[in-house]
Amino acid sequence: MLNALLSHDLPRSRVLAALLVLTVLGLLATPFLFPGSQSLNVAAKVLVFIVLVASYDLLLGYTGIVSFAHMLFFGIGAYGVAIASHRMGPGWDAVGIGMACALLASLLLSLLIGLASLRVKAIFFAMITLAVASACLTLASQLSDFTGGEDGLNFRLPELLRPATVFLEEPLWGVEVNGRLLSYYGLCVAVFVLVLLLLRIVNSPFGRVLQAIRENAFRAEAIGYRVVVYRTVASVLSALFATLAGVLMALWLRYVGPETTMSFELMLDVLLIVVIGGMGTIYGAVLGSVLFVLAQNYLQALMQGAQGVVGSVPVLGQLVEPERWLLWLGVLFVLSVYHFPTGLVGKLREPPVSLRSPPPEGAATGSGRPGAGRPR
């Protein structure tokens, strides 16, 4: 049953399976193990980023398309719910209408970008998506009457999801059971379903064709696959999943702004997570999101603790100042790429050395005919 649920894409590594189980259990138990708003917000951000990064990996890791407009669709989803709830008032009808309009807008825009730009070379397509994303970010910042401008939009959720809505008079294991807790576990369920759906897509015949296009688009075209059609469909699917991630983020934050949903810094974060976790694997989005978001939120606190221990050391004390946490985050990223060139999941899925195929005779040892193993 588990094999079918995961679309026959098992972790294929005991360490990877243990990390995934630990991640799922940790996210489910966060409200009870780490009570407090900060830990809950970090866990919710991890959940949203799992869907967002996995949707981008469908485009980059499985299809080989480099796009800088991914956060545009994330912002469309967030703004769709926010604008509808702000103008129509709190209610499930506003959430539904906003989500439907956002999905429709993302579908049309991604289809337009795909059909107009995917015939050009990769670098030119990346530049086109960057230009479109920059233009939309500028519009979101300047259309104050519609999007709230730089200040963004605050909106109210349906009554069932509000923190003031209490379901049990007594706390459960020290945690108040209210609308905020319901929102968190609703977010968990939504992310779980979306990740399983992404696994089904990438392990279907459609996903296999995308991987073939990534490896050799000319050969895939030669055997009869319409490369442009498959790339366009992959671009549309990636945009729709990113839109749903934006909807989830807006419902959790109850706020949307251009810097929190459509900034280029967020696009770089997503790209880094894909590389850290491993391109071409949905499990990489899970582990990469956990590692990156935890480092982003708690590395500064760890450095503050280290400052109290080695603060008197002349050079080391300055290097571990909490204000320099971005420097160490960059160092951690460089080290992870150096030691795990195929990503964390790719490294964990490597077979043991004893199970690898031996090198051809004479290739490494110099045995065999003279000159074997040397370039001509």
Side-chain angles (χ1 to χ4, degrees):
M1 179 179 179
L2 180 62
N3 193 20
L5 189 64
L6 297 178
S7 301
H8 306 282
D9 188 6
L10 297 176
R12 302 199 300 274
S13 167
R14 292 183 178 180
V15 177
L16 177 58
L19 290 175
L20 291 172
V21 171
L22 184 63
T23 298
V24 173
L25 294 179
L27 290 173
L28 291 176
T30 293
F32 300 98
L33 294 179
F34 309 100
S37 59
Q38 181 183 4
S39 58
L40 201 62
N41 286 329
V42 171
K45 186 176 181 181
V46 169
L47 289 168
V48 173
F49 264 67
I50 287 174
V51 178
L52 180 61
V53 173
S55 64
Y56 187 65
D57 196 32
L58 174 65
L59 198 63
L60 177 63
Y62 285 92
T63 316
I65 298 174
V66 180
S67 171
F68 292 113
H70 200 65
M71 299 309 300
L72 166 61
F73 304 108
F74 182 73
I76 289 176
Y79 271 107
V81 172
I83 293 173
S85 300
H86 183 73
R87 294 181 177 271
M88 299 175 59
W92 293 108
D93 55 342
V95 174
I97 292 175
M99 183 172 65
C101 292
L103 288 173
L104 180 61
S106 295
L107 173 64
L108 296 177
L109 184 58
S110 61
L111 186 62
L112 180 63
I113 293 175
L115 293 177
S117 307
L118 282 175
R119 290 182 179 274
V120 300
K121 294 184 178 180
I123 184 62
F124 298 105
F125 175 74
M127 293 299 101
I128 291 173
T129 57
L130 179 61
V132 173
S134 300
C136 292
L137 176 60
T138 302
L139 287 176
S141 302
Q142 294 181 353
L143 297 177
S144 302
D145 296 336
F146 191 64
T147 63
E150 294 288 348
D151 297 330
L153 288 176
N154 291 290
F155 62 96
R156 299 179 64 189
L157 295 174
E159 186 176 359
L160 191 65
L161 303 180
R162 296 176 190 174
T165 303
V166 179
F167 300 104
L168 295 179
E169 296 182 359
E170 297 294 332
L172 179 64
W173 298 326
V175 177
E176 187 176 16
V177 181
N178 55 12
R180 193 65 167 169
L181 189 65
L182 179 63
S183 298
Y184 178 77
Y185 282 109
L187 181 61
C188 290
V189 173
V191 170
F192 183 74
V193 172
L194 291 176
V195 168
L196 291 181
L197 186 57
L198 280 166
L199 279 173
R200 185 69 191 95
I201 291 174
V202 299
N203 290 288
S204 65
F206 172 77
R208 302 302 182 192
V209 175
L210 293 184
Q211 295 175 56
I213 293 173
R214 177 196 64 194
E215 297 300 327
N216 194 320
F218 178 77
R219 184 177 297 175
E221 186 83 34
I223 61 178
Y225 293 110
R226 298 290 300 275
V227 172
V228 174
V229 174
Y230 278 91
R231 282 179 171 174
T232 302
V233 174
S235 179
V236 170
L237 288 175
S238 175
L240 294 179
F241 277 98
T243 303
L244 293 174
V247 170
L248 296 176
M249 178 64 86
L251 291 176
W252 177 257
L253 293 179
R254 293 166 292 172
Y255 165 80
V256 61
E259 293 300 321
T260 59
T261 55
M262 301 175 65
S263 66
F264 189 68
E265 288 78 8
L266 284 175
M267 184 69 247
L268 292 179
D269 291 345
V270 171
L271 184 58
L272 291 179
I273 295 173
V274 170
V275 175
I276 292 172
M279 291 190 295
T281 167
I282 301 299
Y283 299 127
V286 178
L287 297 185
S289 298
V290 172
L291 291 176
F292 186 85
V293 174
L294 288 179
Q296 193 179 47
N297 285 273
Y298 293 108
L299 183 59
Q300 191 172 9
L302 292 176
M303 291 180 62
Q304 188 173 2
Q307 179 72 17
V309 177
V310 298
S312 58
V313 180
V315 178
L316 188 60
Q318 295 179 355
L319 289 177
V320 298
E321 288 184 358
E323 291 77 11
R324 291 185 170 89
W325 68 277
L326 277 175
L327 169 66
W328 290 104
L329 186 63
V331 171
L332 290 176
F333 171 71
V334 172
L335 290 177
S336 65
V337 173
Y338 179 78
H339 290 286
F340 308 110
T342 58
L344 182 59
V345 173
K347 182 67 175 180
L348 293 176
R349 280 182 164 179
E350 285 183 0
V353 178
S354 59
L355 298 180
R356 296 177 186 172
S357 301
E361 184 180 356
T365 62
S367 59
R369 61 181 178 81
R374 295 200 301 267
R376 295 182 180 274

mmCIF file of all heavy atoms in Angstrom, residues 54-94:
data_model
loop_
_atom_site.group_PDB
_atom_site.id
_atom_site.type_symbol
_atom_site.label_atom_id
_atom_site.label_comp_id
_atom_site.label_asym_id
_atom_site.label_seq_id
_atom_site.Cartn_x
_atom_site.Cartn_y
_atom_site.Cartn_z
ATOM 1 N N ALA A 54 9.046 21.804 -4.516
ATOM 2 C CA ALA A 54 8.738 20.627 -5.331
ATOM 3 C C ALA A 54 8.133 21.027 -6.671
ATOM 4 O O ALA A 54 8.423 20.413 -7.707
ATOM 5 C CB ALA A 54 7.791 19.702 -4.573
ATOM 6 N N SER A 55 7.302 22.054 -6.677
ATOM 7 C CA SER A 55 6.718 22.516 -7.939
ATOM 8 C C SER A 55 7.783 23.100 -8.856
ATOM 9 O O SER A 55 7.732 22.919 -10.078
ATOM 10 C CB SER A 55 5.629 23.560 -7.659
ATOM 11 O OG SER A 55 6.179 24.721 -7.066
ATOM 12 N N TYR A 56 8.781 23.779 -8.280
ATOM 13 C CA TYR A 56 9.864 24.313 -9.113
ATOM 14 C C TYR A 56 10.784 23.198 -9.594
ATOM 15 O O TYR A 56 11.341 23.273 -10.699
ATOM 16 C CB TYR A 56 10.665 25.352 -8.329
ATOM 17 C CG TYR A 56 11.693 26.076 -9.176
ATOM 18 C CD1 TYR A 56 11.285 26.903 -10.219
ATOM 19 C CD2 TYR A 56 13.049 25.929 -8.949
ATOM 20 C CE1 TYR A 56 12.214 27.558 -11.008
ATOM 21 C CE2 TYR A 56 13.982 26.581 -9.725
ATOM 22 C CZ TYR A 56 13.556 27.395 -10.757
ATOM 23 O OH TYR A 56 14.473 28.044 -11.540
ATOM 24 N N ASP A 57 10.949 22.169 -8.770
ATOM 25 C CA ASP A 57 11.770 21.031 -9.179
ATOM 26 C C ASP A 57 11.132 20.278 -10.344
ATOM 27 O O ASP A 57 11.836 19.689 -11.171
ATOM 28 C CB ASP A 57 11.972 20.092 -7.997
ATOM 29 C CG ASP A 57 13.106 19.108 -8.234
ATOM 30 O OD1 ASP A 57 14.070 19.475 -8.927
ATOM 31 O OD2 ASP A 57 13.023 17.975 -7.738
ATOM 32 N N LEU A 58 9.810 20.278 -10.407
ATOM 33 C CA LEU A 58 9.128 19.700 -11.570
ATOM 34 C C LEU A 58 9.553 20.402 -12.844
ATOM 35 O O LEU A 58 9.675 19.775 -13.908
ATOM 36 C CB LEU A 58 7.609 19.811 -11.379
ATOM 37 C CG LEU A 58 6.730 19.379 -12.554
ATOM 38 C CD1 LEU A 58 6.891 17.890 -12.825
ATOM 39 C CD2 LEU A 58 5.264 19.711 -12.283
ATOM 40 N N LEU A 59 9.829 21.683 -12.748
ATOM 41 C CA LEU A 59 10.224 22.474 -13.912
ATOM 42 C C LEU A 59 11.726 22.363 -14.171
ATOM 43 O O LEU A 59 12.162 22.122 -15.298
ATOM 44 C CB LEU A 59 9.832 23.934 -13.695
ATOM 45 C CG LEU A 59 9.766 24.849 -14.917
ATOM 46 C CD1 LEU A 59 8.694 24.378 -15.878
ATOM 47 C CD2 LEU A 59 9.485 26.283 -14.471
ATOM 48 N N LEU A 60 12.529 22.515 -13.114
ATOM 49 C CA LEU A 60 13.986 22.552 -13.278
ATOM 50 C C LEU A 60 14.607 21.160 -13.249
ATOM 51 O O LEU A 60 15.372 20.787 -14.146
ATOM 52 C CB LEU A 60 14.599 23.419 -12.169
ATOM 53 C CG LEU A 60 16.126 23.502 -12.150
ATOM 54 C CD1 LEU A 60 16.645 24.157 -13.411
ATOM 55 C CD2 LEU A 60 16.588 24.277 -10.915
ATOM 56 N N GLY A 61 14.285 20.379 -12.225
ATOM 57 C CA GLY A 61 14.944 19.094 -12.047
ATOM 58 C C GLY A 61 14.454 18.016 -12.982
ATOM 59 O O GLY A 61 15.237 17.172 -13.428
ATOM 60 N N TYR A 62 13.157 18.015 -13.296
ATOM 61 C CA TYR A 62 12.598 16.947 -14.131
ATOM 62 C C TYR A 62 12.524 17.317 -15.604
ATOM 63 O O TYR A 62 12.547 16.434 -16.458
ATOM 64 C CB TYR A 62 11.207 16.563 -13.635
ATOM 65 C CG TYR A 62 11.225 15.733 -12.381
ATOM 66 C CD1 TYR A 62 11.160 16.327 -11.135
ATOM 67 C CD2 TYR A 62 11.339 14.348 -12.431
ATOM 68 C CE1 TYR A 62 11.192 15.576 -9.967
ATOM 69 C CE2 TYR A 62 11.371 13.576 -11.280
ATOM 70 C CZ TYR A 62 11.301 14.205 -10.050
ATOM 71 O OH TYR A 62 11.344 13.457 -8.902
ATOM 72 N N THR A 63 12.392 18.611 -15.905
ATOM 73 C CA THR A 63 12.239 19.024 -17.302
ATOM 74 C C THR A 63 13.452 19.764 -17.820
ATOM 75 O O THR A 63 13.647 19.862 -19.029
ATOM 76 C CB THR A 63 10.986 19.912 -17.459
ATOM 77 O OG1 THR A 63 9.905 19.344 -16.722
ATOM 78 C CG2 THR A 63 10.570 20.029 -18.911
ATOM 79 N N GLY A 64 14.267 20.312 -16.932
ATOM 80 C CA GLY A 64 15.455 21.034 -17.357
ATOM 81 C C GLY A 64 15.192 22.451 -17.813
ATOM 82 O O GLY A 64 15.976 23.007 -18.588
ATOM 83 N N ILE A 65 14.120 23.075 -17.325
ATOM 84 C CA ILE A 65 13.769 24.437 -17.706
ATOM 85 C C ILE A 65 14.147 25.373 -16.561
ATOM 86 O O ILE A 65 13.725 25.169 -15.417
ATOM 87 C CB ILE A 65 12.266 24.569 -18.007
ATOM 88 C CG1 ILE A 65 11.887 23.669 -19.176
ATOM 89 C CG2 ILE A 65 11.895 26.009 -18.297
ATOM 90 C CD1 ILE A 65 10.395 23.635 -19.453
ATOM 91 N N VAL A 66 14.927 26.389 -16.860
ATOM 92 C CA VAL A 66 15.304 27.400 -15.872
ATOM 93 C C VAL A 66 14.359 28.585 -16.018
ATOM 94 O O VAL A 66 14.333 29.244 -17.057
ATOM 95 C CB VAL A 66 16.765 27.849 -16.058
ATOM 96 C CG1 VAL A 66 17.134 28.896 -15.014
ATOM 97 C CG2 VAL A 66 17.705 26.660 -15.968
ATOM 98 N N SER A 67 13.579 28.838 -14.980
ATOM 99 C CA SER A 67 12.613 29.935 -14.997
ATOM 100 C C SER A 67 12.795 30.784 -13.755
ATOM 101 O O SER A 67 13.006 30.262 -12.647
ATOM 102 C CB SER A 67 11.181 29.379 -15.042
ATOM 103 O OG SER A 67 10.238 30.421 -14.861
ATOM 104 N N PHE A 68 12.722 32.100 -13.925
ATOM 105 C CA PHE A 68 12.793 33.033 -12.796
ATOM 106 C C PHE A 68 11.433 33.664 -12.502
ATOM 107 O O PHE A 68 11.359 34.632 -11.739
ATOM 108 C CB PHE A 68 13.821 34.130 -13.084
ATOM 109 C CG PHE A 68 15.234 33.627 -13.126
ATOM 110 C CD1 PHE A 68 15.940 33.628 -14.313
ATOM 111 C CD2 PHE A 68 15.854 33.132 -11.988
ATOM 112 C CE1 PHE A 68 17.242 33.161 -14.367
ATOM 113 C CE2 PHE A 68 17.146 32.659 -12.031
ATOM 114 C CZ PHE A 68 17.855 32.673 -13.228
ATOM 115 N N ALA A 69 10.384 33.104 -13.087
ATOM 116 C CA ALA A 69 9.039 33.650 -12.865
ATOM 117 C C ALA A 69 8.221 32.772 -11.934
ATOM 118 O O ALA A 69 7.005 32.947 -11.848
ATOM 119 C CB ALA A 69 8.312 33.806 -14.210
ATOM 120 N N HIS A 70 8.865 31.853 -11.238
ATOM 121 C CA HIS A 70 8.101 30.923 -10.411
ATOM 122 C C HIS A 70 7.414 31.637 -9.248
ATOM 123 O O HIS A 70 6.281 31.309 -8.886
ATOM 124 C CB HIS A 70 9.024 29.827 -9.887
ATOM 125 C CG HIS A 70 8.298 28.596 -9.451
ATOM 126 N ND1 HIS A 70 7.590 27.804 -10.321
ATOM 127 C CD2 HIS A 70 8.138 28.020 -8.230
ATOM 128 C CE1 HIS A 70 7.043 26.797 -9.674
ATOM 129 N NE2 HIS A 70 7.364 26.907 -8.406
ATOM 130 N N MET A 71 8.098 32.610 -8.663
ATOM 131 C CA MET A 71 7.488 33.336 -7.545
ATOM 132 C C MET A 71 6.324 34.204 -8.001
ATOM 133 O O MET A 71 5.494 34.601 -7.182
ATOM 134 C CB MET A 71 8.536 34.199 -6.844
ATOM 135 C CG MET A 71 9.686 33.404 -6.249
ATOM 136 S SD MET A 71 9.169 32.029 -5.201
ATOM 137 C CE MET A 71 8.246 32.884 -3.949
ATOM 138 N N LEU A 72 6.265 34.495 -9.283
ATOM 139 C CA LEU A 72 5.116 35.236 -9.814
ATOM 140 C C LEU A 72 3.834 34.456 -9.584
ATOM 141 O O LEU A 72 2.821 35.013 -9.118
ATOM 142 C CB LEU A 72 5.331 35.507 -11.302
ATOM 143 C CG LEU A 72 4.115 35.981 -12.105
ATOM 144 C CD1 LEU A 72 3.598 37.304 -11.567
ATOM 145 C CD2 LEU A 72 4.461 36.093 -13.586
ATOM 146 N N PHE A 73 3.839 33.173 -9.853
ATOM 147 C CA PHE A 73 2.644 32.349 -9.671
ATOM 148 C C PHE A 73 2.359 32.109 -8.182
ATOM 149 O O PHE A 73 1.201 32.015 -7.781
ATOM 150 C CB PHE A 73 2.819 31.028 -10.412
ATOM 151 C CG PHE A 73 3.129 31.197 -11.863
ATOM 152 C CD1 PHE A 73 4.389 30.920 -12.359
ATOM 153 C CD2 PHE A 73 2.166 31.667 -12.748
ATOM 154 C CE1 PHE A 73 4.688 31.093 -13.693
ATOM 155 C CE2 PHE A 73 2.452 31.839 -14.090
ATOM 156 C CZ PHE A 73 3.711 31.556 -14.563
ATOM 157 N N PHE A 74 3.403 32.036 -7.387
ATOM 158 C CA PHE A 74 3.232 31.975 -5.941
ATOM 159 C C PHE A 74 2.517 33.233 -5.445
ATOM 160 O O PHE A 74 1.595 33.164 -4.616
ATOM 161 C CB PHE A 74 4.608 31.832 -5.286
ATOM 162 C CG PHE A 74 4.574 31.716 -3.791
ATOM 163 C CD1 PHE A 74 4.138 30.563 -3.177
ATOM 164 C CD2 PHE A 74 5.010 32.765 -2.999
ATOM 165 C CE1 PHE A 74 4.126 30.444 -1.791
ATOM 166 C CE2 PHE A 74 5.009 32.664 -1.623
ATOM 167 C CZ PHE A 74 4.563 31.498 -1.015
ATOM 168 N N GLY A 75 2.922 34.382 -5.959
ATOM 169 C CA GLY A 75 2.276 35.634 -5.575
ATOM 170 C C GLY A 75 0.848 35.746 -6.087
ATOM 171 O O GLY A 75 -0.019 36.312 -5.417
ATOM 172 N N ILE A 76 0.586 35.211 -7.273
ATOM 173 C CA ILE A 76 -0.781 35.238 -7.805
ATOM 174 C C ILE A 76 -1.725 34.478 -6.879
ATOM 175 O O ILE A 76 -2.839 34.922 -6.588
ATOM 176 C CB ILE A 76 -0.808 34.662 -9.232
ATOM 177 C CG1 ILE A 76 -0.147 35.628 -10.212
ATOM 178 C CG2 ILE A 76 -2.249 34.376 -9.674
ATOM 179 C CD1 ILE A 76 -0.037 35.090 -11.620
ATOM 180 N N GLY A 77 -1.288 33.314 -6.397
ATOM 181 C CA GLY A 77 -2.127 32.556 -5.477
ATOM 182 C C GLY A 77 -2.385 33.298 -4.182
ATOM 183 O O GLY A 77 -3.517 33.326 -3.673
ATOM 184 N N ALA A 78 -1.337 33.901 -3.627
ATOM 185 C CA ALA A 78 -1.500 34.637 -2.369
ATOM 186 C C ALA A 78 -2.384 35.874 -2.559
ATOM 187 O O ALA A 78 -3.290 36.133 -1.756
ATOM 188 C CB ALA A 78 -0.125 35.043 -1.836
ATOM 189 N N TYR A 79 -2.142 36.620 -3.617
ATOM 190 C CA TYR A 79 -2.932 37.833 -3.857
ATOM 191 C C TYR A 79 -4.377 37.497 -4.220
ATOM 192 O O TYR A 79 -5.292 38.262 -3.905
ATOM 193 C CB TYR A 79 -2.300 38.665 -4.974
ATOM 194 C CG TYR A 79 -1.281 39.650 -4.481
ATOM 195 C CD1 TYR A 79 0.079 39.454 -4.689
ATOM 196 C CD2 TYR A 79 -1.678 40.808 -3.802
ATOM 197 C CE1 TYR A 79 1.018 40.359 -4.236
ATOM 198 C CE2 TYR A 79 -0.747 41.726 -3.349
ATOM 199 C CZ TYR A 79 0.604 41.492 -3.567
ATOM 200 O OH TYR A 79 1.537 42.390 -3.106
ATOM 201 N N GLY A 80 -4.595 36.374 -4.894
ATOM 202 C CA GLY A 80 -5.960 36.009 -5.257
ATOM 203 C C GLY A 80 -6.846 35.842 -4.035
ATOM 204 O O GLY A 80 -7.954 36.406 -3.954
ATOM 205 N N VAL A 81 -6.360 35.087 -3.043
ATOM 206 C CA VAL A 81 -7.126 34.882 -1.814
ATOM 207 C C VAL A 81 -7.228 36.180 -1.011
ATOM 208 O O VAL A 81 -8.284 36.514 -0.457
ATOM 209 C CB VAL A 81 -6.485 33.766 -0.977
ATOM 210 C CG1 VAL A 81 -7.144 33.656 0.394
ATOM 211 C CG2 VAL A 81 -6.593 32.435 -1.701
ATOM 212 N N ALA A 82 -6.118 36.931 -0.939
ATOM 213 C CA ALA A 82 -6.108 38.156 -0.139
ATOM 214 C C ALA A 82 -7.060 39.205 -0.700
ATOM 215 O O ALA A 82 -7.830 39.830 0.050
ATOM 216 C CB ALA A 82 -4.688 38.706 -0.068
ATOM 217 N N ILE A 83 -7.031 39.414 -2.000
ATOM 218 C CA ILE A 83 -7.895 40.441 -2.603
ATOM 219 C C ILE A 83 -9.358 40.052 -2.482
ATOM 220 O O ILE A 83 -10.212 40.882 -2.143
ATOM 221 C CB ILE A 83 -7.493 40.658 -4.072
ATOM 222 C CG1 ILE A 83 -6.095 41.284 -4.156
ATOM 223 C CG2 ILE A 83 -8.504 41.547 -4.788
ATOM 224 C CD1 ILE A 83 -5.554 41.385 -5.561
ATOM 225 N N ALA A 84 -9.661 38.774 -2.742
ATOM 226 C CA ALA A 84 -11.048 38.335 -2.630
ATOM 227 C C ALA A 84 -11.557 38.450 -1.194
ATOM 228 O O ALA A 84 -12.675 38.920 -0.952
ATOM 229 C CB ALA A 84 -11.179 36.895 -3.120
ATOM 230 N N SER A 85 -10.754 38.051 -0.216
ATOM 231 C CA SER A 85 -11.177 38.132 1.185
ATOM 232 C C SER A 85 -11.247 39.575 1.653
ATOM 233 O O SER A 85 -12.105 39.927 2.477
ATOM 234 C CB SER A 85 -10.204 37.348 2.068
ATOM 235 O OG SER A 85 -10.163 35.989 1.707
ATOM 236 N N HIS A 86 -10.382 40.424 1.142
ATOM 237 C CA HIS A 86 -10.382 41.834 1.547
ATOM 238 C C HIS A 86 -11.611 42.567 1.008
ATOM 239 O O HIS A 86 -12.170 43.426 1.696
ATOM 240 C CB HIS A 86 -9.103 42.510 1.036
ATOM 241 C CG HIS A 86 -8.966 43.938 1.443
ATOM 242 N ND1 HIS A 86 -8.658 44.332 2.733
ATOM 243 C CD2 HIS A 86 -9.109 45.086 0.729
ATOM 244 C CE1 HIS A 86 -8.605 45.650 2.794
ATOM 245 N NE2 HIS A 86 -8.871 46.134 1.590
ATOM 246 N N ARG A 87 -12.034 42.221 -0.184
ATOM 247 C CA ARG A 87 -13.159 42.925 -0.801
ATOM 248 C C ARG A 87 -14.500 42.280 -0.496
ATOM 249 O O ARG A 87 -15.510 42.980 -0.371
ATOM 250 C CB ARG A 87 -12.956 43.003 -2.316
ATOM 251 C CG ARG A 87 -11.763 43.870 -2.721
ATOM 252 C CD ARG A 87 -11.598 43.942 -4.226
ATOM 253 N NE ARG A 87 -10.510 44.822 -4.592
ATOM 254 C CZ ARG A 87 -10.641 46.132 -4.806
ATOM 255 N NH1 ARG A 87 -11.826 46.691 -4.704
ATOM 256 N NH2 ARG A 87 -9.592 46.868 -5.124
ATOM 257 N N MET A 88 -14.533 40.965 -0.368
ATOM 258 C CA MET A 88 -15.789 40.271 -0.117
ATOM 259 C C MET A 88 -16.048 40.002 1.352
ATOM 260 O O MET A 88 -17.158 39.620 1.730
ATOM 261 C CB MET A 88 -15.797 38.930 -0.885
ATOM 262 C CG MET A 88 -15.678 39.071 -2.382
ATOM 263 S SD MET A 88 -15.547 37.450 -3.213
ATOM 264 C CE MET A 88 -17.069 36.675 -2.687
ATOM 265 N N GLY A 89 -15.015 40.170 2.184
ATOM 266 C CA GLY A 89 -15.168 39.875 3.589
ATOM 267 C C GLY A 89 -14.784 38.446 3.897
ATOM 268 O O GLY A 89 -14.653 37.604 2.994
ATOM 269 N N PRO A 90 -14.582 38.123 5.183
ATOM 270 C CA PRO A 90 -14.175 36.763 5.541
ATOM 271 C C PRO A 90 -15.274 35.752 5.250
ATOM 272 O O PRO A 90 -16.445 35.979 5.550
ATOM 273 C CB PRO A 90 -13.900 36.876 7.052
ATOM 274 C CG PRO A 90 -14.725 38.041 7.495
ATOM 275 C CD PRO A 90 -14.759 39.000 6.358
ATOM 276 N N GLY A 91 -14.892 34.667 4.645
ATOM 277 C CA GLY A 91 -15.870 33.636 4.302
ATOM 278 C C GLY A 91 -15.237 32.631 3.369
ATOM 279 O O GLY A 91 -14.274 32.919 2.650
ATOM 280 N N TRP A 92 -15.799 31.422 3.378
ATOM 281 C CA TRP A 92 -15.271 30.378 2.509
ATOM 282 C C TRP A 92 -15.540 30.671 1.040
ATOM 283 O O TRP A 92 -14.797 30.218 0.160
ATOM 284 C CB TRP A 92 -15.874 29.033 2.893
ATOM 285 C CG TRP A 92 -15.443 28.557 4.232
ATOM 286 C CD1 TRP A 92 -16.201 28.501 5.376
ATOM 287 C CD2 TRP A 92 -14.150 28.075 4.606
ATOM 288 N NE1 TRP A 92 -15.460 28.021 6.417
ATOM 289 C CE2 TRP A 92 -14.199 27.732 5.977
ATOM 290 C CE3 TRP A 92 -12.956 27.885 3.903
ATOM 291 C CZ2 TRP A 92 -13.097 27.229 6.663
ATOM 292 C CZ3 TRP A 92 -11.853 27.388 4.586
ATOM 293 C CH2 TRP A 92 -11.931 27.055 5.947
ATOM 294 N N ASP A 93 -16.599 31.426 0.763
ATOM 295 C CA ASP A 93 -16.866 31.782 -0.631
ATOM 296 C C ASP A 93 -15.766 32.673 -1.184
ATOM 297 O O ASP A 93 -15.347 32.525 -2.338
ATOM 298 C CB ASP A 93 -18.232 32.448 -0.756
ATOM 299 C CG ASP A 93 -18.359 33.663 0.161
ATOM 300 O OD1 ASP A 93 -17.554 33.776 1.120
ATOM 301 O OD2 ASP A 93 -19.264 34.497 -0.071
ATOM 302 N N ALA A 94 -15.275 33.607 -0.354
ATOM 303 C CA ALA A 94 -14.184 34.471 -0.797
ATOM 304 C C ALA A 94 -12.909 33.671 -1.032
ATOM 305 O O ALA A 94 -12.192 33.894 -2.015
ATOM 306 C CB ALA A 94 -13.938 35.574 0.236
#
